[in-house]
Amino acid sequence: MDLSFTPDQEAFREEVREFIRTQMPPHLAAKAAVDGHFEHEEVMEWQKILYRKGWVAPHWPKEVGGTGWDAARRFIFSEELEKAGAPTLSPFGLAMVGPLIIQFGSDAQKQRFLPKILSGEEAWCQGYSEPEAGSDLASLRTTAVDDGKGNFVVNGQKTWTTYGQYADWIFCLVRTNQTGKKQTGISFLLIDMKTPGVKAVPMLTTGHTPAFCDTYFDNVVVPKENVVGPVDGGWTMAKALLGHERTLIAAVGTSTRALIRVKRIAQEHGLLADPAWRGRIARLEIELEALRMQNYRALVGAQLGHAPGPESSVLKIRGSEILQQAMELAMDVMGPSCMAWFTPPGVLSPSEQWIPSAFNYTRATTIYGGSNEIQRNVIAKWILGLPAQA
Ligand SMILES: Cc1cc2nc3c(=O)[nH]c(=O)nc-3n(C[C@H](O)[C@H](O)[C@H](O)COP(=O)(O)OP(=O)(O)OC[C@H]3O[C@@H](n4cnc5c(N)ncnc54)[C@H](O)[C@@H]3O)c2cc1C
């Protein structure tokens, strides 16, 4: 299997690097250089720059605004963005509900929603999890009851709604049928966040960002035409969407960048001469190279037309663990300075400023997108062929 890139692909990589170098505004580039946390407006600003270039949705079909790139180019593009520390675009519209509407939506839904997802005019969030439904998502209790006048009336609570406070729309899994297996009575519903009765209440994370909301629905009236796919058929869509989310999480570029910073900080602290520190860094670098190769193999499979299967669970587990280990190593090389959280600029070196916050946030990578324990269950069942749990 040839895992090297062609001269054409390398030329494309150079074009992407040049674009990032010349088009990223200085205030974003300054934050990118130190892997700072980008605020919602900054993320949307970068989305609009990519949109104007026509590069905002490489994975969408060309007819609806995609780039027409093959899997290798898409990979190179996202790797270069990650390596440059560019703002990560919100996945909820572009990577989640957008592709789902493309696949399962009506023509009217495509026309209404896709252009504004691309342009960033409308931001989205995801309403899956509930206080009593996380890994066991099918236990969700938020109800949508037919009012007989062409609407559903929604009542319930979603939780961990990432950036719900900034979103214009939320895509939700709601229970439309109480009978039968719990997976069968679920529908996929698009809800305008401005509808009376919707309330998003932000909560602060340990990374000190208001990244999540509890989202409440109190007699929220939603037109029935906002159901994507068949009523009671939402579970199929939920699964399709989660598989896609998982393949996004290997984050090889982000870990590569994190390791470069670990080395820079280790150098600033005079640790690189110590073989013990060099050994720890080298071990992680080897793990990361193995992940990169695994990612390339998946890429070659995609180029040959194979849909990602349960191997995306392997990428998710290793990618999330390696990123966490890189951030742990960064905290270790910082030594006591890693306790200086949320200090104003100038207290820590620019390379260190955002490490504690990033360390905290990356604790979540083994949880979201289906926790790593659940991914191990997937591997046990679908790759190893082991019997399901009793
Ligand atoms: C950063 C972040 C962002 C998120 N954003 C969103 C969002 O925007 N929208 C949204 O809807 N949700 C979001 N979530 C929620 C996320 O999907 C859930 O946290 C996740 O599905 C796990 O559910 P839970 O938190 O209820 O944990 P639980 O399901 O209660 O799990 C608790 C622990 O038990 C383990 N466990 C559970 N079942 C099994 C099993 N069968 N076998 C082995 N181990 C098991 C889990 O792995 C975990 O360690 C986000 C979560 C995080 C951390």
Side-chain angles (χ1 to χ4, degrees), residues 316-375:
K316 199 266 162 169
I317 292 174
R318 290 308 292 140
S320 54
E321 288 175 349
I322 288 171
L323 184 56
Q324 285 186 347
Q325 286 160 13
M327 296 318 302
E328 279 163 23
L329 194 51
M331 294 286 271
D332 285 352
V333 294
M334 280 173 71
S337 324
C338 80
M339 300 308 287
W341 292 7
F342 318 126
T343 51
V347 176
L348 296 174
S349 80
S351 336
E352 294 174 328
Q353 174 73 23
W354 290 94
I355 294 283
S357 170
F359 165 82
N360 270 282
Y361 188 76
T362 50
R363 305 317 296 164
T365 57
T366 45
I367 302 171
Y368 61 62
S371 75
N372 283 19
E373 289 76 21
I374 296 297
Q375 301 316 309

Side-chain angles (χ1 to χ4, degrees), residues 92 96 125-137 158-164 170-171 205 211-213 242 245 361 363-377 389:
F92 302 113
M96 297 168 95
C125 62
Q126 177 185 29
Y128 275 23
S129 307
E130 299 184 2
E132 302 301 325
S135 302
D136 183 16
L137 191 55
K158 297 289 175 182
T159 191
W160 309 121
T161 323
T162 302
Y163 290 133
I170 183 168
F171 56 89
T205 67
F212 303 112
C213 288
L242 277 173
E245 185 180 355
Y361 188 76
R363 305 317 296 164
T365 57
T366 45
I367 302 171
Y368 61 62
S371 75
N372 283 19
E373 289 76 21
I374 296 297
Q375 301 316 309
R376 288 193 173 88
N377 287 349
Q389 284 170 304

Side-chain angles (χ1 to χ4, degrees), residues 60-385:
W60 286 24
K62 207 164 171 15
E63 320 76 78
V64 284
T67 54
W69 294 336
D70 61 12
R73 278 177 189 236
R74 294 202 301 271
F75 177 82
I76 291 169
F77 180 65
S78 67
E79 195 178 42
E80 288 306 318
L81 289 176
E82 284 183 335
K83 279 203 217 155
T88 305
L89 299 188
S90 168
F92 302 113
L94 290 166
M96 297 168 95
V97 75
L100 202 88
I101 292 174
I102 292 169
Q103 194 178 353
F104 297 101
S106 65
D107 285 345
Q109 287 169 341
K110 288 177 193 167
Q111 279 161 22
R112 163 65 187 83
F113 294 111
L114 297 182
K116 291 187 177 179
I117 291 175
L118 284 173
S119 66
E121 218 173 309
E122 285 177 347
W124 284 77
C125 62
Q126 177 185 29
Y128 275 23
S129 307
E130 299 184 2
E132 302 301 325
S135 302
D136 183 16
L137 191 55
S139 295
L140 62 92
R141 292 189 195 153
T142 296
T143 53
V145 177
D146 191 340
D147 69 356
K149 299 181 222 158
N151 305 301
F152 282 118
V153 179
V154 180
N155 280 288
Q157 180 190 350
K158 297 289 175 182
T159 191
W160 309 121
T161 323
T162 302
Y163 290 133
Q165 71 272 44
Y166 303 122
D168 301 291
W169 284 80
I170 183 168
F171 56 89
C172 282
L173 291 177
V174 291
R175 186 156 297 288
T176 37
N177 196 330
Q178 304 282 359
T179 58
K181 262 178 66 182
K182 59 185 178 181
Q183 284 85 357
T184 52
I186 291 173
S187 299
F188 193 98
L189 190 61
L190 312 178
I191 303 178
D192 185 338
M193 294 289 278
K194 291 182 293 300
T195 319
V198 181
K199 192 159 111 192
V201 182
M203 46 178 145
L204 210 57
T205 67
T206 52
H208 218 247
T209 53
F212 303 112
C213 288
D214 277 312
T215 309
Y216 299 91
F217 301 87
D218 181 12
N219 286 321
V220 176
V221 179
V222 183
K224 282 170 95 173
E225 69 240 26
N226 285 11
V227 175
V228 182
V231 172
D232 293 347
W235 191 244
T236 313
M237 268 154 275
K239 282 194 297 186
L241 205 144
L242 277 173
H244 190 73
E245 185 180 355
R246 228 157 270 154
T247 57
L248 300 171
I249 304 176
V252 173
T254 309
S255 290
T256 305
R257 210 177 145 75
L259 265 179
I260 292 170
R261 286 184 69 210
V262 167
K263 285 189 223 168
R264 201 185 309 145
I265 299 168
Q267 189 151 32
E268 286 169 10
H269 285 252
L271 299 176
L272 276 187
D274 181 339
W277 282 107
R278 285 210 308 273
R280 279 189 68 186
I281 295 169
R283 265 194 298 281
L284 197 52
E285 210 151 25
I286 292 165
E287 300 268 7
L288 179 58
E289 279 314 302
L291 177 71
R292 195 189 312 278
M293 286 301 131
Q294 179 70 12
N295 218 343
Y296 285 166
R297 283 178 58 194
L299 186 68
V300 172
Q303 291 280 49
L304 296 173
H306 306 304
E311 71 274 12
S312 63
S313 295
V314 178
L315 288 176
K316 199 266 162 169
I317 292 174
R318 290 308 292 140
S320 54
E321 288 175 349
I322 288 171
L323 184 56
Q324 285 186 347
Q325 286 160 13
M327 296 318 302
E328 279 163 23
L329 194 51
M331 294 286 271
D332 285 352
V333 294
M334 280 173 71
S337 324
C338 80
M339 300 308 287
W341 292 7
F342 318 126
T343 51
V347 176
L348 296 174
S349 80
S351 336
E352 294 174 328
Q353 174 73 23
W354 290 94
I355 294 283
S357 170
F359 165 82
N360 270 282
Y361 188 76
T362 50
R363 305 317 296 164
T365 57
T366 45
I367 302 171
Y368 61 62
S371 75
N372 283 19
E373 289 76 21
I374 296 297
Q375 301 316 309
R376 288 193 173 88
N377 287 349
V378 171
I379 292 168
K381 185 168 176 192
W382 296 106
I383 298 182
L384 303 177

